[in-house]
Amino acid sequence: MTPPNTGFVGDLSAAGDSVSRQILRLIATGDATNKAEIVRRTGLARSTVTDHLNRLESAGLVVEAGSAMAVGRGRPPRVLALSDAAGVVLAADVGTTKTTVAVADINRRILDQRTIACPLADGPNAALHIIGTAFENMLGDTVSAGTRIQAMAMGLPSPVDTAGGRPIHPPLMPGWDRYPVAETLAERFATHVILDNDVNLMAIGETSATSNAPIPLLLLHISDGIGCGIITSNGELLRGADGAAGDVGHLRSHGHDDTVCRCGNVGCIESVASVTAIEHKLRERLSDQEFPPDATLVALVKEGNPLALNEVRRAAMEIGEIAVTLVHTFNPASLILSGPLAEASDDLLSGVRAMVYRRALPLATRALHIGTSALGEQAGIRGAFGWRLSMSSPHRSPEYARQSS
């Protein structure tokens, strides 16, 4: 299965010119892991590739990871890999109720991961300070002084202008509209920063995590909002012209013209079938004793509360209608449901699956895999580390390396 081409992670500063960065990208992604493969993929002369590899090895960016099986006579080719000493990558999966932050080595092995409280309603300055401090604490506990931060990737529960590194009109994040998130973090950590929608990162993580979820893939995430990450048949993340692809939470759900959404429209699927919307309905019907203020919908579902289960099943039918449209539009090989409700019980999956198989045409469903996330809450972080080495960095500040205190 082709891994998603995410475009993540900026140039390694020691790599020098664009040819060296191209070679690093091929090695990092596994597209070419020996000299012969690099020559074939780049079209460069063997002597040119040899020269660049020598420089990269001298800089400590590339190391020999073993030998491949020889084809015919001759010495087996050296297998190349990025050096763990080349630095670390940072990732953050920012949610409305909690945020996960992690540090990984350059080969994407997670060194440390923590969940922190980060109230988005307090505004971007406060939230980014909390996230930045958490990163600095992890770096201090995990890596040695002088370790270079090669890149950072962050997912937000918001539409995102990826080129500008800013959230755009985020309904769940008051005060964040067009705030320069990527630029702010780049200045603090002096590294390349990629900002994307959180569900996009989840889709990337899901695709790279499991071979039983073939592409094209749609990941429907049902939480406080509803979004969809789309991985195309060639492994590309589909963002659309302005990064709005997959913002399905504001598609119309018929029969709900009296339900006002946070976006100002009426009848949006998010205002009808999200976790927040279901909880609101239940609180109107249940007493504080039956549904205490500190309780959650997920807890009620796990307890088998009949009213909660009934509302989840109703929501599953509404989401299923949207899923049918998506299946006919994109003809995916996999439709993955994620979020707390998908993890809490099979009711959401069963309802969506039933609606899709009942309403979608046989050609679109005969080989369609419909299931739940293989990674659960880890999908966003794994997707943030599902990076590719890019050729330039619009959000990179002067050189930074973690210093000893």
Side-chain angles (χ1 to χ4, degrees), residues 41 76 80 128 134 189 197 200 207 260 285 302 327 332 334 347 382 388 396 398 404:
R41 292 297 298 267
L80 303 171
L128 294 180
F189 291 95
N197 173 262
N200 284 343
T207 306
V260 179
R285 300 178 62 183
K302 288 181 176 179
V327 166
S334 303
D347 293 274
R382 289 292 179 178
R388 299 274 184 167
R396 187 178 179 90
S404 59

Side-chain angles (χ1 to χ4, degrees), residues 215-247:
I215 54 178
L217 176 142
L218 302 181
L219 183 135
L220 264 177
H221 185 68
I222 299 94
S223 185
D224 292 335
I226 297 177
C228 182
I230 305 166
I231 304 294
T232 65
S233 58
N234 62 355
E236 300 282 345
L237 172 66
L238 180 63
R239 291 191 178 93
D242 298 300
D247 198 2

